[in-house]
Amino acid sequence: MERSGPRNRFSKILARAGTTVNQAVAKSSVGKYFKLEARKSTFTKELRAGIATFVTMAYIISINASILTDSGGPCTERDCTPVHNVTGPACKFGMNPGYQSCLARIKNDLTVATSFAAMIACFAMGSIANLPLALAPGMGANSFFAYNMVGFHGSGALSYSTGLAVVMIEGCLFLLLSATGLRSKLARLIPRSVRLASAVGIGLFLAFTGIQFHQGMGLVGPSKSTLVTLTACLKTDSATGECLGGTLQSPTFWLGVVGFLITATCLSMELNGSMIYGIALVTVVSWIRGTSVTIFPNTPLGNSNYEYFKKVVSFHSIKSTAGQISFTGFKSSSAWIYVITILYIDILDTTGSMYSMAEYAGFTDEKGGFEGEYRAFLVDGGTSIIGAALGTTTLTTYVESTAGIREGGRTGLTAITVGFCFFMSLFFTPLLTNVPPWAVGPSLILVGAMMMKVIKDIEWADMKEGVPAFVTMILMPLSFSIANGIIAGIGIYIALHLPDYVIRVWRWGARMKNAKYESSNQITDLASTDVPETPV
């Protein structure tokens, strides 16, 4: 009892101090602007909610930077150093020291760009829309950019600069659609089964990325006979990822498995920040030099990265990715197809997430709208333009905002707190840029698993709905293209429903013909009735 006395007194002092602060803020102009009393919230509750949201979604800083770095950014074969007479574009697909050094610099830039863009977006959402919704570069759009538009190490149809121009144009269109109110109407034009299947397909795409050699845990790799096979090998071809011996003996893979199990367990227990724990453990273990799982091997690149890592706290300015926008590639029709595709992904992702968050928080009205809806849509669209200017992809509302809402966050102060946390992360770039792919891979797999929940809403009993949905979701990972899945799904949906459309048009034409026939008969009857009888 004696030990608990001081603790209880300290708790009471903190409670009284918190009450005093909450009352003062609620009565101030800040409290009135954010409607703290009207929404039955307090200043300290909003701070707790913002921290809870940030902890839950902080994984995006390292994951987004890792995914976008896979595109190669502005790095080209000119950054390669001559090794074994390997020159030209081929040097980008091995462990070329020069090219890898360029990728390391790009990852630093993209880590800062991710945090900075998220910070601006959260500040804007909180101060302009007064909603507890946090934004950051969206999963799905970043994968589409890195692996479809630009391609792995620049092997796609567009350059990194043109890809950013696509994102900027998409952001402008997105802002225009939001300003004119056409955004939600456009989202409803897409068949429901394809909309749901797109979320599932993107989840499968992310999971497939998370288990591959270059981007994740390294569980699967290429095979000359079966295309894809089980790897996680002790020795792997650095260029192709093919297994050279020791299947399922990779130390980094098994460390990734540990991280996967920890994260999955935390998710099952519904702990705030579940995604962080597995990443943090695997990353810290990988920072130990002289082990078989270290991210700092005894190589020139490993030594260089370790020297930067030892700084711990350092502000890194964006040097290569900001302002890298070029519209020269828009002479090709493929660039415009990518604009439409990424716009579609953004509309479905952001609109669905925002409405579900508003409903979860109790903001929606009887018409399905919510307070601050128009401003929130404008913020969402406008910040994507800023993201493109910094070198990252479209920003979207994160479902992880539910963590803060569950803590009682009901105003824009929650989003502003998240923005401040992203601001603080800008000073820990040396730590955030050295998160290994085998730490990020498990989170990609689990994000994909969480995106599977909407599969139950697809009407599988109706083949006209089920087949387009299946084609959409299966083509995304197997063709390694989100766009291919969407286009194929919509095309098959139209083809399967075409007979129904023809029948409806034919029936409509028949009804119009009958109506015209009946109308002409009525006119004839009236005319014959009005003719006077001829006297005899």
Side-chain angles (χ1 to χ4, degrees), residues 344-508:
Y344 163 76
I345 295 172
D346 205 5
I347 287 175
L348 292 186
D349 186 12
T350 304
T351 305
S353 298
M354 195 172 291
Y355 275 116
S356 61
M357 294 303 98
E359 185 174 358
Y360 184 79
F363 292 147
T364 53
D365 54 29
E366 61 277 0
K367 295 181 180 179
F370 57 91
E371 183 181 357
E373 175 182 358
Y374 182 73
R375 292 183 178 183
F377 285 159
L378 291 180
V379 168
D380 203 307
T383 51
S384 290
I385 300 173
I386 297 173
L390 293 172
T392 186
T393 48
T394 55
L395 282 86
T396 183
T397 303
Y398 264 64
V399 294
E400 282 81 359
S401 299
T402 52
I405 295 172
R406 190 166 58 242
E407 289 290 329
R410 290 297 182 273
T411 75
L413 286 173
T414 295
I416 290 176
T417 302
V418 178
F420 180 76
C421 291
F422 274 115
F423 167 73
M424 294 303 296
S425 70
L426 292 171
F427 299 96
F428 295 92
T429 307
L431 302 183
L432 295 173
T433 53
N434 285 294
V435 178
W438 52 88
V440 174
S443 294
L444 290 178
I445 297 169
L446 290 167
V447 169
M450 289 187 289
M451 295 179 74
M452 295 296 106
K453 61 184 178 181
V454 298
I455 199 170
K456 61 182 176 57
D457 298 323
I458 299 174
E459 299 178 14
W460 293 107
D462 185 355
M463 287 293 101
K464 292 181 180 179
E465 300 291 328
V467 171
F470 179 76
V471 171
T472 299
M473 64 179 67
I474 201 66
L475 271 185
M476 286 186 182
L478 295 187
S479 68
F480 216 67
S481 170
I482 295 171
N484 289 346
I486 293 172
I487 294 170
I490 293 176
I492 291 177
Y493 183 92
I494 294 174
L496 293 179
H497 285 78
L498 188 60
D500 296 337
Y501 300 146
V502 172
I503 292 172
R504 289 176 185 174
V505 171
W506 181 82
R507 288 177 178 174
W508 176 82

Side-chain angles (χ1 to χ4, degrees), residues 40-306:
K40 299 178 181 179
S41 186
T42 63
F43 179 67
T44 54
K45 187 183 292 184
E46 295 292 316
L47 294 182
R48 288 199 308 271
I51 293 172
T53 297
F54 175 76
V55 169
T56 307
M57 63 181 292
Y59 69 91
I60 190 60
I61 300 174
S62 58
I63 287 184
N64 187 62
S66 296
I67 290 175
L68 294 182
T69 301
D70 280 342
S71 72
C75 299
T76 65
E77 58 268 19
R78 291 191 297 272
D79 296 293
C80 294
T81 54
V83 177
H84 302 302
N85 297 323
V86 179
T87 58
C91 73
K92 299 187 297 182
F93 302 100
M95 297 300 292
N96 185 278
Y99 191 77
Q100 291 299 316
S101 296
C102 182
L103 291 181
R105 295 193 299 270
I106 295 304
K107 188 174 182 180
N108 293 345
D109 283 2
L110 290 171
T111 300
V112 175
T114 301
S115 295
F116 194 67
M119 178 195 74
I120 294 174
C122 290
F123 280 153
M125 180 63 76
S127 58
I128 297 175
N130 193 22
L131 290 171
L133 305 179
L135 297 88
M139 297 292 291
N142 53 8
S143 298
F144 179 68
F145 179 92
Y147 305 124
N148 295 156
M149 290 169 55
V150 182
F152 182 71
H153 288 185
S155 58
L158 303 181
S159 67
Y160 176 75
S161 299
T162 303
L164 290 179
V166 167
V167 175
M168 178 165 282
I169 291 177
E170 183 274 336
C172 293
L173 292 175
F174 198 61
L175 182 61
L176 179 64
L177 291 173
S178 301
T180 56
L182 294 175
R183 175 177 172 174
S184 58
K185 294 180 181 179
L186 187 61
R188 287 194 290 268
L189 290 177
I190 307 298
R192 182 174 180 271
S193 59
V194 177
R195 289 202 307 267
L196 296 173
S198 295
V200 177
I202 291 173
L204 292 172
F205 184 91
L206 291 174
F208 188 48
T209 301
I211 62 175
Q212 289 188 64
F213 169 68
H214 286 290
Q215 301 88 6
M217 297 172 64
L219 179 60
V220 299
S223 169
K224 295 180 180 179
S225 57
T226 60
L227 298 182
V228 179
T229 187
L230 199 67
T231 54
C233 300
L234 195 60
K235 295 182 180 179
T236 309
D237 189 303
S238 60
T240 65
E242 287 189 74
C243 185
L244 300 178
T247 305
L248 292 180
Q249 294 182 27
S250 168
T252 56
F253 165 73
W254 288 110
L255 180 59
V257 170
V258 173
F260 176 87
L261 293 175
I262 290 174
T263 304
T265 302
C266 292
L267 285 171
S268 66
M269 297 171 65
E270 298 184 353
L271 298 178
N272 286 335
S274 297
M275 286 290 185
I276 296 297
Y277 302 129
I279 294 177
L281 176 67
V282 174
T283 300
V284 169
V285 173
S286 301
W287 283 342
I288 303 173
R289 299 203 76 178
T291 67
S292 59
V293 296
T294 184
I295 193 177
F296 304 118
N298 190 20
T299 62
L301 180 61
N303 294 332
S304 175
N305 289 341
Y306 185 67

